[in-house]
Amino acid sequence: MRCIQTFSAVVLLLTLFMILFSTLYLETTYSHKDEPKPLSVQVHDSDVTMQSSEKKRFVQPHPVDVLNVSVFEGLRQTIPQNGAYWNRLLYSALRNLEQGKLAFRDDWSHCRGMNRELLLTNVNDFTSYPVLFQDFLQGMNCRTSPLLINQPNKCSSSEEDGNNQTFLLFAIKSTPGNFEQRQAVRETWGKERVYQGGLRVRTVFLLGTYPLDAIDLSPMLSFEAKYFGDVLQWDFQESFLNLTLKGNMFLQWTLKVCPSVSFVFNGDDDVFVNTPALLSYLQSLQASQASHLYVGHTISTAYPHRDTDNKYYIPLSFFDGPYPAYAGGGGFIISGVLLQPLYSVSHVIPFFPIDDVYTGMCAKALGVSPEAHASFRTFDVREQDRGNLCVHKDIILIHQRSPVQIKKLWKGIHSPLLTC
Ligand SMILES: *[C@@H]1O[C@H](CO)[C@@H](O)[C@H](O)[C@H]1NC(C)=O
Ligand SMILES: *[C@@H]1O[C@H](CO)[C@@H](O)[C@H](O)[C@H]1NC(C)=O
């Protein structure tokens, strides 16, 4: 009898212990979900009145001042005024700006309501748009999103060398499941370090979330984020059409956390970058060039794809006209001093579903033209040169390489045995 009693007591204790342990474990691994989500930068135009208690919750290190936003004539010359929805939105935003009002504010919670009604009224063939495209339009005014994983100290190092200045910040578009790609980048071109001449390189990976019914990677991600200190994640769904939002969130974040960075690289996690070649190119720039640099593989005359099966499909009733010149989104460089103007002017330019085209539009509005550079190969090199290390030694960026290829190329171009 006594034995049974002792046994049940032990079992009870063990069960309690296990429950307690698993709760603790869950609490630590999921803690980032329970914390009040840090709303990073919130910009409000003068029309918006808020409770003073609400105001305190928002950090506003870089409010967008309407007076400081002006749009170059070149944008009007490139993008025609016509009946397409986006074109109408742009011209209405430009009229607002003339009256001293910003068209768009950073909104998240009230940005979807009643949109469908409005869209059905304004876009006559809205229901014939692909489902994801309809979804993009409904969320077009959702311009900011809560940060789930932050790296608030990314650009302030406590290292003794006293060199806090970030020369180059790699901002790499990734997705939660691409762990292997991130690891390859971390071990090679995106490794955080100080290069010759004291040039400090830092890296962040930009992530959204997977749908709720997908496998939950958040425990792994929060571990990865803590361990490597380079993961940023926002609370919006990963999707090609959400990349413009991702870019905007990155701008907000950088202006807050790394405001004095010299150059920013924006690109994909499946590219190969020859970091030393990139750094020596950046260092060779004249001051006047360096202050408004927007360089990459430049696409100077492009029109929207009208084929519904194309990844880049744009309905005619949505946008009508050519694209301003833009640097291919596989990887391009922008001067740090351009980040604030770009972010400001994005409050006038409606979100566009293709992120690199959107950057081109915002740059055009600022009067900045992308510079073409032959060493940015977002469309790859000739087939017969793909295994040629000497070709890669002079190239700055090359698109679509697997994690294994990235590591091999990196090792190869650094090999002392390589003679070109
Ligand atoms: C670098 O940043 C650290 C921490 O933010 C600070 O203590 C230090 O004074 C900074 N060094 C320089 C040279 O600015
Ligand atoms: C973009 O993210 C939002 C927020 O998670 C989501 O509701 C929307 O469906 C996403 N858009 C697309 C086009 O996938």
Side-chain angles (χ1 to χ4, degrees), residues 40-42 58-63 252 255-256 340:
S40 44
V41 193
Q42 291 279 328
F58 299 113
V59 193
Q60 300 189 25
H62 294 278
Q252 274 192 13
L255 288 170
K256 194 174 166 208
Q340 178 68 58

Side-chain angles (χ1 to χ4, degrees), residues 153 155-165 202:
N153 301 317
C155 287
S156 55
S157 69
S158 49
E159 284 164 46
E160 267 132 45
D161 63 5
N163 175 9
N164 288 345
Q165 175 58 28
R202 289 190 159 105

Side-chain angles (χ1 to χ4, degrees), residues 148-337:
L148 297 175
I149 300 180
N150 192 5
Q151 303 296 343
N153 301 317
K154 186 83 221 173
C155 287
S156 55
S157 69
S158 49
E159 284 164 46
E160 267 132 45
D161 63 5
N163 175 9
N164 288 345
Q165 175 58 28
T166 306
F167 184 72
L168 175 64
L169 177 65
F170 279 119
I172 301 150
K173 297 176 275 185
S174 190
T175 57
N178 282 6
F179 177 79
E180 208 193 334
Q181 279 86 338
R182 287 194 289 281
Q183 198 51 29
V185 171
R186 274 184 197 116
E187 288 172 12
T188 59
W189 58 267
K191 191 182 169 102
E192 300 200 311
R193 51 177 278 202
V194 179
Y195 278 84
Q196 214 175 9
L199 306 180
R200 185 180 286 280
V201 170
R202 289 190 159 105
T203 299
V204 282
F205 294 96
L206 317 177
L207 274 63
T209 58
Y210 281 159
L212 283 176
D213 56 1
I215 174 170
D216 184 12
L217 296 177
S218 44
M220 263 173 76
L221 267 185
S222 57
F223 175 78
E224 185 188 343
K226 273 194 199 110
Y227 192 84
F228 296 106
D230 57 11
V231 172
L232 295 175
Q233 189 187 30
W234 286 275
D235 194 8
F236 63 81
Q237 213 161 299
E238 282 294 351
S239 139
F240 175 68
L241 299 178
N242 264 344
L243 284 180
T244 298
L245 175 63
K246 190 180 265 190
N248 211 50
M249 294 320 299
F250 168 69
L251 277 181
Q252 274 192 13
W253 180 87
T254 314
L255 288 170
K256 194 174 166 208
V257 177
C258 303
S260 58
V261 56
S262 307
F263 297 99
V264 167
F265 167 96
N266 193 305
D268 293 337
D269 63 3
D270 62 350
V271 299
F272 175 77
V273 179
N274 185 339
T275 311
L278 173 58
L279 291 174
S280 57
Y281 161 69
L282 292 174
Q283 249 194 325
S284 74
L285 297 170
Q286 308 276 325
S288 60
Q289 243 183 323
S291 65
H292 57 265
L293 191 75
Y294 171 33
V295 68
H297 176 118
T298 296
I299 298 118
S300 41
T301 43
Y303 284 84
H305 285 272
R306 304 301 190 189
D307 167 9
T308 48
D309 294 332
N310 194 292
K311 181 184 176 189
Y312 304 100
Y313 168 64
I314 298 291
L316 184 63
S317 63
F318 176 72
F319 177 83
D320 189 2
Y323 292 148
Y326 65 98
F332 61 86
I333 308 280
I334 229 157
S335 308
V337 288

Side-chain angles (χ1 to χ4, degrees), residues 47-58:
D47 295 346
V48 187
T49 45
M50 285 169 62
Q51 309 277 314
S52 58
S53 62
E54 248 184 313
K55 261 185 189 154
K56 280 196 198 104
R57 279 197 358 246
F58 299 113

